[in-house]
Amino acid sequence: MRGFLASSIGVTCAAALALPLTLPAASHAVPAPAQDSLPGSTQSLALAPLTVSRAAGTPRVQGLPQRDVHPFSLVGVVWDDPNTELHGQVQVRTRTTGTTTWSAWQDMETHNDDAPDLESSEHTSGHVHGSTAPLWVGDSDGVEVRVQGDAPAATRAAAAEPLPKGLRLELVDPGAEPPPQGAPADGPRATALTSEAAAASAVNAELAPLGATSVPALSKKASEDELIEARGGDTSATKARPYVGARPRIVTRKGWGADEKLRERDFAYTKTVKAAFVHHSASGNNYRCSQASSVIRSIYRYHVKSSGWRDIGYNFLVDKCGNIYEGRAGGITKPVMGAHTLGFNTNSMGIAVLGSFGSSNPPAAAVNAIAKLTAWKLGLYGANPRGTTYLKSGGGNLYRKGKNVRLHVISGHRDGFATECPGRRLYNKLGKARSSSAHLQGR
């Protein structure tokens, strides 16, 4: 554990290539090596006009009529320019695999503000696309989609092209499940890691064995002792034992089955962690906790292969049962640069609760998990969950680039960007999360 804070500084940047049109492997495909889950895949389908009206004020509609496709479980829409917003409505309906049953039309959030900062090398790599939030639909083999732009209040010319260019439907298959969480970390599965998987695991080696599927929980006293040890045994900075909560159990990337060959090879860090931004994934609530790893693998693939990011955007994810998952690679104790809050990814971390919480209440277990995670991780960096801090904006639709913004140490995404995220009902629970987190730190 010694020196985990000091060793976490240094930034490397790159971005993943956008995925070309690919189809899922057939059922008889050769299995992946033992250390990985079976790989997922993405189908990328260009949208076409569904209406041809060019009357002033009439928005064009693009989409796909009902069609059979290879099996998938998560859907999203992307477009060419990440700096172009999609003003309108995106709706999809799907058919459950092996049936004739079609779902009702479902809305997808059109925001693209869970994203790398505008002037970051990740954003300017040339590989990043605009994208909706992804939507989890479960095992499906049929799809229909329609995208309708808002009628502009401008000219006839503006009405002729209200939608972003290069609209594509992305259908993601998460692949097969990894070994059960909690499976022993020793044995042949742990020794057969790829170099990429070994690197992603090694950054947590002081917390769990190489190849572990989870980082175990640690008591408050033991967490305090580890932090004191990391400081070289010096408690003079606080004149007392540090304010840090017990470390919760965290499922590693190995545990949820990350294909480490998808992401950029290097890790990217900021200097510290001053704030946590809470998100909802906007991927819907229609999943079981036993499917959470599949949901995360799908979001990971969508962020990297469809949106063009270097890795999954969030630093941590939480499911409806309160399980916590490692997100972007680089080490759970370290200040890993994420792509979660456009304009405020530096010196912060992003926590996404799997689900949509605009009209649905977040489960108490998920809110408690936010409190436990922030009590521990923010405590490593001396941050008070009840307090406020200042972050410098990297540019966005609420704050100009370079402005020092006062924010809650535990903020909702909407505090840094004009968005509905993390949903009204989850946002209203953040006060409770702050109080609980501070209490867990011993404040």
Side-chain angles (χ1 to χ4, degrees), residues 5-366:
L5 294 177
S7 66
S8 64
I9 309 304
V11 179
T12 58
C13 299
L17 294 173
L19 184 73
L21 176 63
T22 58
L23 296 178
S27 60
H28 60 273
V30 177
Q35 72 273 11
D36 296 323
S37 61
L38 291 175
S41 58
T42 304
Q43 301 167 77
S44 185
L45 307 174
L47 302 191
L50 298 180
T51 63
V52 295
S53 172
R54 293 181 179 271
T58 301
R60 291 181 63 185
V61 180
Q62 293 189 30
L64 288 174
Q66 286 186 11
R67 67 168 60 189
D68 297 339
V69 292
H70 289 289
F72 68 98
S73 295
L74 180 139
V75 60
V77 170
V78 303
W79 54 93
D80 292 343
D81 186 353
N83 299 316
T84 298
E85 295 185 17
L86 195 165
H87 296 288
Q89 185 178 41
V90 180
Q91 293 183 306
V92 64
R93 62 175 184 156
T94 56
R95 185 185 61 210
T96 302
T97 298
T99 74
T100 59
T101 304
W102 285 82
S103 72
W105 287 101
Q106 299 184 76
D107 291 316
M108 285 190 281
E109 287 199 12
T110 59
H111 69 79
N112 59 352
D113 43 296
D114 292 356
D117 288 341
L118 292 175
E119 295 188 5
S120 68
S121 58
E122 184 172 2
H123 179 87
T124 60
S125 66
H127 306 309
V128 176
H129 300 120
S131 57
T132 67
L135 179 68
W136 176 262
V137 294
D139 294 338
S140 305
D141 62 6
V143 69
E144 182 177 8
V145 65
R146 60 193 184 197
V147 181
Q148 180 167 314
D150 288 336
T155 65
R156 180 183 299 269
E161 194 62 50
L163 296 174
K165 294 181 179 179
L167 286 170
R168 300 182 303 283
L169 180 68
E170 302 287 294
L171 304 175
V172 180
D173 169 19
E177 286 297 308
Q181 295 166 14
D186 54 359
R189 298 192 76 88
T191 59
L193 298 174
T194 64
S195 60
E196 296 88 354
S201 183
V203 286
N204 294 317
E206 292 174 334
L207 312 176
L210 191 68
T213 57
S214 66
V215 172
L218 202 62
S219 70
K220 177 172 171 57
K221 181 180 183 303
S223 298
E224 292 171 352
D225 290 342
E226 281 202 340
L227 183 52
I228 291 170
E229 181 186 358
R231 294 174 176 173
D234 182 16
T235 60
S236 61
T238 59
K239 298 184 174 60
R241 294 185 71 81
Y243 291 109
V244 61
R247 184 179 73 206
R249 177 181 178 271
I250 300 174
V251 178
T252 64
R253 291 171 64 91
K254 168 72 172 176
W256 55 260
D259 180 353
E260 299 295 354
K261 293 183 179 180
L262 290 183
R263 63 170 174 82
E264 281 297 311
R265 191 178 185 90
D266 295 329
F267 308 128
Y269 300 102
T270 63
K271 292 182 178 180
T272 188
V273 180
K274 298 170 66 176
F277 286 98
V278 177
H279 304 252
H280 65 174
S281 64
S283 51
N285 303 318
N286 188 27
Y287 72 94
R288 301 183 302 275
C289 291
S290 61
Q291 296 177 305
S293 290
S294 292
V295 177
I296 295 170
R297 290 198 307 278
S298 297
I299 294 173
Y300 171 43
R301 177 171 281 273
Y302 183 73
H303 282 179
V304 176
K305 304 300 284 185
S306 300
S307 301
W309 303 354
R310 69 188 328 270
D311 195 348
I312 193 170
Y314 308 114
N315 298 103
F316 297 93
L317 301 100
V318 173
D319 69 23
K320 64 175 70 175
C321 293
N323 299 304
I324 302 170
Y325 303 82
E326 177 184 17
R328 183 164 284 207
I332 62 173
T333 64
K334 297 177 173 61
V336 177
M337 168 75 89
H340 49 82
T341 306
L342 181 64
F344 293 100
N345 289 307
T346 297
N347 297 335
S348 70
M349 69 177 187
I351 304 168
V353 181
L354 298 179
S356 302
F357 303 106
S359 58
S360 299
N361 289 324

